[in-house]
Amino acid sequence: MMEQIQYFEDYEIGASRITSGRTITETDFVVHAGHTGDFFPHHMDAEFMKTTPFGQRIAHGTLVFSVGVGLTATIVNPVAFSYGYDRLRFIKPVFIGDTIRTRTTIAAKEDDPKRPGSGRVIERCEVINQRGEVVLAADHIYIVERKPVQS
């Protein structure tokens, strides 16, 4: 992991990056179910899922979200912090054996009404499977310090 200072003014709308990939395993399903308590048959019962249009178990949306976000955590910006996520959508199912990666794009910048010394940067996160299909989308909101005023 690397540290890189990037002030509010340094972010450029449209700047994009894509992460490395991560294959989702059955162990991921089991561990995530244990962590969250979500043992719904959609994630845990292979025989039940054979009777559905999906034909197989689907990953927890929260599993795909947490792995997808984790893939983006490669650069630490000491003048920014996460304010949360908006517009989270589970667009397509993820199955055991699928490989996901995350594309992030700076979508917007705005003033922060509570913090005049900072602004909000909205980063669109799209989790993509091995076929290039977007399976999850969310907007990540950062609070980022403005450049110090030179005297």
Side-chain angles (χ1 to χ4, degrees):
M1 198 166 306
M2 149 178 139
E3 184 176 293
Q4 178 182 6
I5 293 176
Q6 191 171 9
Y7 291 102
F8 177 78
E9 295 83 355
D10 299 328
Y11 285 85
E12 291 184 29
I13 305 292
S16 185
R17 67 184 173 109
I18 192 154
T19 70
S20 58
R22 165 106 152 49
T23 301
I24 301 299
T25 67
E26 182 167 15
T27 300
D28 293 322
F29 278 43
V30 173
V31 169
H32 192 77
H35 284 161
T36 63
D38 181 351
F39 289 92
F40 269 44
H42 306 80
H43 317 301
M44 307 306 291
D45 187 336
E47 293 305 311
F48 167 76
M49 287 307 289
K50 286 179 186 175
T51 70
T52 73
F54 296 109
Q56 59 182 311
R57 291 173 286 170
I58 57 174
H60 303 74
T62 51
L63 167 62
V64 176
F65 175 70
S66 57
V67 171
V69 167
L71 288 169
T72 70
T74 56
I75 300 169
V76 175
N77 183 356
V79 297
F81 67 90
S82 178
Y83 190 59
Y85 293 83
D86 279 346
R87 302 170 47 92
L88 173 62
R89 298 292 181 266
F90 307 131
I91 298 168
K92 287 186 174 275
V94 172
F95 303 109
I96 293 169
D98 280 354
T99 298
I100 60 173
R101 65 190 73 249
T102 303
R103 177 176 52 225
T104 65
T105 306
I106 303 303
K109 293 167 54 172
E110 56 194 39
D111 291 333
D112 186 323
K114 299 183 205 171
R115 301 168 190 87
S118 298
R120 293 182 185 179
V121 174
I122 291 83
E123 176 184 68
R124 172 116 341 108
C125 296
E126 296 171 299
V127 179
I128 304 160
N129 66 18
Q130 68 274 13
R131 291 178 297 283
E133 301 166 328
V134 175
V135 298
L136 181 146
D139 288 344
H140 189 185
I141 305 164
Y142 290 100
I143 305 297
V144 185
E145 291 177 23
R146 294 181 186 276
K147 285 184 178 175
V149 177
Q150 302 294 323
S151 51

